[in-house]
């Protein structure tokens, strides 16, 4: 999708500008981009400091919350 390509930095300058411009006038798309950014941030936060993977971080958090 354009949103994930945008967030991954896989769009050229024209493509980035089009997504930014559209999200500026389209609340659902702006919300989608914001949600994807938060999700990506949360997933990055699940990584263990010693270079563990995301799955290990999720399992550790689930155990801590139980």
């Amino acid at each position: 999708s354009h949103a994930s390509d945008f967030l991954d930095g896989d769009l050229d300058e024209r493509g980035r500008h089009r997504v930014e411009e559209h999200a500026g006038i389209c609340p659902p798309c702006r919300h989608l981009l914001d949600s994807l950014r938060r999700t990506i941030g949360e997933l990055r936060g699940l990584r263990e400091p010693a270079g563990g993977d995301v799955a290990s971080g999720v399992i550790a958090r689930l155990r801590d919350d139980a």
Side-chain angles (χ1 to χ4, degrees):
S1 83
H2 291 300
S4 60
D5 290 344
F6 174 78
L7 293 173
D8 290 341
D10 292 338
L11 295 178
D12 61 15
E13 184 177 341
R14 182 174 180 232
R16 285 191 309 273
H17 178 71
R18 290 180 67 196
V19 170
E20 290 169 353
E21 188 174 85
H22 179 78
I25 61 171
C26 179
C29 289
R30 184 172 48 248
H31 177 71
L32 172 66
L33 284 175
D34 290 343
S35 293
L36 287 172
R37 282 185 183 113
R38 281 192 306 274
T39 300
I40 290 168
E42 289 292 323
L43 288 173
R44 286 182 179 143
L46 293 175
R47 294 188 187 273
E48 294 182 53
D53 59 29
V54 171
S56 297
V58 170
I59 292 168
R61 286 227 176 141
L62 289 172
R63 287 182 180 148
D64 289 345
D65 289 343

